[in-house]
Amino acid sequence: MNIEKDYIKLIFGLKLKQARTAKNLSLFGLAKITALSKSYLNEIEKGKKYPKTDKIILLAEKLDVTYDHMVSLKLDNNLAPIGEILKSGILKEIPLELFGIQEADLIDIIANAPAKVNAFISTIIEIAQHYNLTRESFFLAALRSYQEAHNNYFEDLEEKVLLFCKAFHVDLTTNISITELKAILVEEYGYTIQELIFTEHEALGDLRSIFVPSSKTLLLSNDIDEGQKAFILAKEIAYNYMEIKERLYTFSWIKFDNFDQVLNNFYASYFAGALLLPRQHLIEELNVFLALENPKPQQMVQLMNQFNVSPESFYQRLTNILPKDFNLKNLFFLRLSHQKGTDTYQIKKELHITNQQEPHANEMNEHYCRRWVSIRTIEESIKQGKNHFFDAQISSYENSKNEYLVFSSATPDPFKTDCIRSISVGILMTAGMKKKFKFIENESLKKQIVGVTCETCAVKDCLERASPPIQLEQKIRNENTEAIVQKYMTKFS
């Protein structure tokens, strides 16, 4: 979308429509007094055409506005937010076609109801400011929506991995080794790979890798484990094999300059996950696990360890495979972070397939339910001193009555001192889902009534509660007040 060019036409169209409606003129009426065709005026108002100088003078004269006002790009206060968002270029950075939005559709929506669009944009801006929504947060939210719209499964990327493996004679029935990944980067793509001690520089402590494009040098932190190293190398292969130019040069990311970088980072990550966790191999292993009637936690850990990946990569890959190949489309993915010695748990990453599942991130500094298995695995990991603590439970949400089978793994964050993170996948329990999980009725599987946040939770006598249910209590007070008001309304009507 050519925002710079269309911005000028659209602003003029908005001004023309505003001036015409202020005079209570229809398009037909304006056409009659200017001798311009109704269709031509309609195209101007929709931002599709920009009139020549003589026609602008004519329109200004008939509408009792100045020529300078018509050609100025400054909008009245009631339409200013529309101008700001168009002028900012944010729409240019987001590939609207991903969401089925065409340029003409967007212009028509704005031109046909500018006041309502303005109110909507103002609302979005206010919400963003209230929740400290950053530019990066906006991009990542757009990406999550894109993933969720496709059930987080992308056939074209799966096909690209298969074509890559065929071209490079990679055997998908066995784990691709670090040696082979490095050899492809060095011999095929001309990389130089070096390992450095990033922690010597405090500012680099959170980074796993840096790519220097001018010399095609990949710098790897020597603190990363084999799974993380394999993922980084596989991502670099993805960037090269898919010929991605607009990309990020650090992992983890520092900032995104535009939405293309966000999207391409996702594409490369997806490719890497599909390469390291081949679809058919993973399906076979999952079927074996799901057939167990009383699996032990260690068996799930052993399943993960069959692949040279981190627990996070494994759980992320589940969000591709479960909706597509097991028809389990109501699920969520969460990554929680916890600093030892604090009572704070933060959701750092989330994904909801099909609809907004529980739990979900909260930006109001409320306390996440301490009964979540995502939190319990962190607590047990610290207590038992384990590098990988796995657990599962059936979580029954008090507010919605929905039940989820939740798998969770907690591991130390290698790049943050005394920081533990947990990765979880929750699957909505339905009749169809229960048929696939042979162990779902096993009595050894812990069941727990949970909430979303303590402040909104109705669970009584909760020993794990970290805060009183102040939001819930306020809601109940408001409902009681409303009920009494209705009684008075009825009595005195």
Side-chain angles (χ1 to χ4, degrees):
M1 181 176 181
N2 188 350
I3 294 294
E4 294 85 353
K5 182 179 178 182
D6 289 327
Y7 174 75
I8 296 172
K9 291 193 291 185
L10 184 56
I11 294 301
F12 187 90
L14 290 173
K15 286 193 165 189
L16 177 61
K17 186 169 186 176
Q18 190 177 42
R20 174 177 63 78
T21 54
K23 297 285 286 184
N24 292 317
L25 275 172
S26 66
L27 273 173
F28 180 87
L30 182 59
K32 192 170 183 179
I33 64 175
T34 59
L36 299 173
S37 74
K38 179 184 172 184
S39 61
Y40 175 66
L41 292 171
N42 186 45
E43 294 222 308
I44 293 174
E45 288 193 358
K46 287 181 178 294
K48 295 178 180 178
K49 288 187 177 178
Y50 193 89
K52 293 182 179 179
T53 302
D54 60 329
K55 291 184 173 62
I56 297 176
I57 293 173
L58 174 63
L59 289 166
E61 178 186 337
K62 298 299 182 181
L63 293 171
D64 294 327
V65 295
T66 66
Y67 173 87
D68 289 343
H69 169 76
M70 291 301 294
V71 299
S72 168
L73 294 180
K74 186 176 180 181
L75 285 167
D76 294 344
N77 288 338
N78 63 330
L79 295 178
I82 289 178
E84 287 301 314
I85 200 165
L86 290 170
K87 198 174 181 180
S88 71
I90 189 75
L91 297 178
K92 183 181 178 182
E93 294 181 350
I94 299 177
L96 297 171
E97 65 275 6
L98 284 180
F99 303 97
I101 301 173
Q102 301 300 318
E103 175 184 350
D105 298 333
L106 188 65
I107 291 176
D108 280 348
I109 290 170
I110 295 175
N112 287 333
K116 291 180 179 179
V117 173
N118 170 70
F120 174 73
I121 292 173
S122 297
T123 301
I124 295 299
I125 291 173
E126 185 175 339
I127 291 172
Q129 291 173 339
H130 182 71
Y131 289 103
N132 295 319
L133 183 65
T134 64
R135 186 164 170 268
E136 287 82 4
S137 299
F138 179 79
F139 284 157
L140 292 171
L143 174 63
R144 283 197 301 272
S145 296
Y146 175 59
Q147 291 175 256
E148 291 160 9
H150 291 80
N151 290 328
N152 204 31
Y153 181 83
F154 295 85
E155 188 68 45
D156 58 330
L157 295 176
E158 300 281 347
E159 287 295 328
K160 282 184 171 66
V161 170
L162 295 177
L163 290 172
F164 166 81
C165 291
K166 183 178 180 181
F168 286 81
H169 291 279
V170 174
D171 183 1
L172 285 175
T173 62
T174 60
N175 289 339
I176 185 170
S177 67
I178 296 287
T179 301
E180 189 170 5
L181 292 169
K182 283 184 175 181
I184 292 171
L185 285 172
V186 172
E187 296 176 24
E188 181 71 17
Y189 298 115
Y191 270 49
T192 299
I193 301 173
Q194 294 186 29
E195 294 192 18
L196 299 177
I197 304 175
F198 281 14
T199 51
E200 288 183 345
H201 303 277
E202 186 177 350
L204 300 181
D206 293 342
L207 295 185
R208 281 87 158 161
S209 67
I210 301 171
F211 177 65
V212 184
S214 59
S215 61
K216 282 196 152 184
T217 300
L218 179 63
L219 304 176
L220 295 173
S221 169
N222 67 348
D223 288 328
I224 59 177
D225 59 31
E226 292 295 292
Q228 293 168 330
K229 187 181 296 184
F231 182 75
I232 293 168
L233 295 171
K235 270 188 75 174
E236 290 300 321
I237 288 174
Y239 280 130
N240 285 273
Y241 182 73
M242 294 193 290
E243 299 181 346
I244 293 173
K245 304 301 181 187
E246 191 69 56
R247 56 160 293 176
L248 301 175
Y249 296 113
T250 64
F251 182 70
S252 302
W253 61 271
I254 300 171
K255 68 171 184 175
F256 296 118
D257 293 325
N258 52 60
F259 185 77
D260 281 346
Q261 290 182 347
V262 180
L263 189 62
N264 289 336
N265 180 66
F266 165 70
Y267 286 156
S269 298
Y270 191 106
F271 184 103
L275 178 60
L276 299 174
L277 290 144
R279 179 181 168 194
Q280 291 305 321
H281 186 191
L282 180 57
I283 291 171
E284 291 169 6
E285 296 300 331
L286 284 174
N287 279 324
V288 172
F289 180 79
L290 296 182
L292 298 174
E293 294 186 357
N294 185 24
K296 301 296 184 287
Q298 190 55 34
Q299 288 176 282
M300 185 60 162
V301 175
Q302 289 170 354
L303 170 57
M304 294 186 210
N305 289 341
Q306 287 187 46
F307 303 91
N308 188 20
V309 296
S310 67
E312 180 165 359
S313 293
F314 182 86
Y315 282 82
Q316 285 273 21
R317 187 62 171 147
L318 289 183
T319 67
N320 309 140
I321 300 301
L322 293 179
K324 173 65 177 178
D325 297 294
F326 292 84
N327 200 31
L328 299 171
K329 296 180 179 178
N330 292 286
L331 57 83
F332 64 79
F333 169 94
L334 288 183
R335 183 176 76 207
L336 258 71
S337 180
H338 170 71
Q339 192 73 34
K340 290 183 183 178
T342 72
D343 190 39
T344 302
Y345 297 84
Q346 295 179 306
I347 293 180
K348 293 294 188 177
K349 194 171 187 178
E350 64 176 326
L351 182 70
H352 304 267
I353 307 298
T354 303
N355 53 51
Q356 185 75 359
Q357 313 291 334
E358 298 167 308
H360 46 79
N362 183 285
E363 300 294 337
M364 298 173 66
N365 296 321
E366 295 181 1
H367 297 77
Y368 295 120
C369 178
R370 291 339 193 216
R371 293 183 174 187
W372 289 357
V373 67
S374 308
I375 290 178
R376 191 172 73 246
T377 54
I378 290 176
E379 293 173 342
E380 289 298 321
S381 173
I382 295 172
K383 184 191 296 184
Q384 299 184 28
K386 288 188 175 181
N387 283 331
H388 183 175
F389 185 86
F390 171 85
D391 204 356
Q393 78 176 30
I394 294 175
S395 296
S396 178
Y397 279 82
E398 172 68 17
N399 293 346
S400 68
K401 307 306 179 185
N402 286 335
E403 285 191 321
Y404 295 85
L405 171 63
V406 187
F407 298 111
S408 182
S409 289
T411 60
D413 188 329
F415 299 96
K416 292 184 180 178
T417 305
D418 292 331
C419 186
I420 307 293
R421 57 191 178 184
S422 69
I423 313 296
S424 306
V425 165
I427 306 161
L428 182 67
M429 292 180 60
T430 62
M433 176 269 193
K434 291 178 181 179
K435 291 179 182 178
K436 294 180 172 69
F437 290 75
K438 300 299 182 185
F439 56 84
I440 201 70
E441 301 296 343
N442 195 294
E443 293 183 359
S444 64
L445 186 58
K446 184 179 178 65
K447 297 182 179 181
Q448 184 71 278
I449 296 175
V450 301
V452 177
T453 66
C454 294
E455 286 79 356
T456 61
C457 182
V459 175
K460 292 181 170 40
D461 303 321
C462 176
L463 299 177
E464 296 88 351
R465 183 179 288 281
S467 174
I470 53 177
Q471 294 291 340
L472 180 64
E473 290 168 353
Q474 181 63 51
K475 179 183 177 183
I476 293 172
R477 283 195 296 270
N478 291 343
E479 289 173 349
N480 290 338
T481 301
E482 175 65 17
I484 295 173
V485 168
Q486 287 302 320
K487 286 182 181 179
Y488 279 103
M489 295 286 284
T490 302
K491 181 177 180 180
F492 291 98
S493 61

